[in-house]
Amino acid sequence: MTNKEQEYKNLKIISNPIVNQSLCIMRNKETDTQGVRLAARKLTRILLYEATKNLPQRNIEIETPLTKCTAQTINSDITIIISPILRAGLIFTDEAVDILPQATIRHIGMYRDEKTLKPVWYYNKVPMPVEDPSKYYVFITDPMLATGNSLVEAIKLYTSKGIPQKNICCVCMISAPQGIKTVFEEFPNIKLIVAAVDSHLNERGYIVPGMGDAGDRIFNT
Ligand code: URA
């Protein structure tokens, strides 16, 4: 367990050779868009596996070609939402729908005001009726957790509907200590999964060493 994980009980930092190699490729300024995407996709799958660990399961009776048996599967009476923060968060969606085909995708559009570093809304697909909030499981995806301001806004959309913090999992790749602090100060009971905690933010709000602008590097802009 790292110091940061000791400080924040709901933070999980995933580190293994595949994760580290993917990060290494993504961070390298010599890696082209195709290389960044491939590495990012590989990384998202690993992070999402960890994120889905606590989804409620139930036992069902099935028949294999050999015999009857009891098998575990994800509860079908829950609603699973994948919420990518546009635009860089989209990199998670293909892998996420492969892993969780039953999920609904609810996009969140925010960009960062370059002067204030505050999020500015431009698209919100979250207004939705929520009948039994405890049955909702939300995965908010954004590769870069920098100031934490966008993530806090995104989480609020769901907690304001009564969805418990413990059912909300934020999945990021590279994070800054400031962002982690901001998010947990406001929402101590959400889950946060990252692959790396970097040193700091620079004066323009970029994560250092980071990978630069994730959206630009993923979408070749
Ligand atoms: N968003 C990015 O794409 N990169 C950063 O370093 C910070 C926010």
Side-chain angles (χ1 to χ4, degrees):
M1 195 185 267
T2 63
N3 290 344
K4 276 272 172 270
E5 286 169 303
Q6 276 170 10
E7 195 177 343
Y8 302 104
K9 67 176 175 24
N10 289 323
L11 170 68
K12 178 95 183 162
I13 305 169
I14 309 297
S15 175
N16 67 42
I18 307 296
V19 166
N20 298 341
Q21 178 172 264
S22 304
L23 281 173
C24 174
I25 294 168
M26 289 164 55
R27 288 182 189 280
N28 191 337
K29 70 174 187 177
E30 302 300 335
T31 307
D32 65 9
T33 291
Q34 194 185 12
V36 170
R37 276 189 209 145
L38 275 174
R41 290 274 302 261
K42 203 182 290 181
L43 180 53
T44 58
R45 188 170 277 251
I46 297 171
L47 298 176
L48 288 165
Y49 282 148
E50 181 66 31
T52 53
K53 242 164 95 174
N54 296 330
L55 282 177
Q57 300 182 83
R58 67 191 169 99
N59 288 333
I60 57 169
E61 301 301 318
I62 57 162
E63 230 175 303
T64 75
L66 302 183
T67 182
K68 287 185 177 170
C69 73
T70 306
Q72 282 192 314
T73 187
I74 297 173
N75 258 0
S76 51
D77 71 340
I78 60 168
T79 300
I80 300 175
I81 296 174
I82 314 284
S83 226
I85 300 184
L86 300 176
R87 66 190 159 138
L90 283 178
I91 191 71
F92 286 84
T93 27
D94 285 351
E95 297 292 332
V97 291
D98 277 358
I99 294 171
L100 295 168
Q102 68 271 60
T104 299
I105 312 292
R106 291 197 176 269
H107 298 91
I108 295 177
M110 272 184 258
Y111 68 87
R112 194 161 58 149
D113 183 297
E114 292 297 332
K115 285 206 182 86
T116 62
L117 301 184
K118 297 274 183 231
V120 182
W121 282 98
Y122 66 90
Y123 192 70
N124 177 357
K125 262 291 179 198
V126 178
M128 61 191 194
V130 173
E131 272 170 24
D132 185 350
S134 68
K135 290 197 168 155
Y136 281 68
Y137 289 79
V138 180
F139 300 93
I140 302 174
T141 63
D142 191 353
M144 308 301 271
L145 171 53
T147 61
N149 295 335
S150 313
L151 206 47
V152 163
E153 285 296 306
I155 297 166
K156 267 186 206 156
L157 283 181
Y158 290 104
T159 53
S160 65
K161 295 189 178 296
I163 297 174
Q165 287 186 37
K166 68 176 178 53
N167 291 13
I168 299 175
C169 182
C170 302
V171 194
C172 305
M173 296 177 186
I174 300 176
S175 63
Q178 180 185 326
I180 295 174
K181 184 165 179 276
T182 301
V183 169
F184 279 128
E185 266 174 10
E186 190 113 8
F187 298 109
N189 295 318
I190 60 115
K191 292 193 184 64
L192 174 61
I193 294 181
V194 301
V197 181
D198 277 10
S199 160
H200 63 278
L201 297 180
N202 71 10
E203 62 297 340
R204 292 180 55 215
Y206 279 89
I207 300 176
V208 182
M211 63 172 288
D213 187 303
D216 283 349
R217 297 208 56 210
I218 292 165
F219 296 113
N220 200 17
T221 47

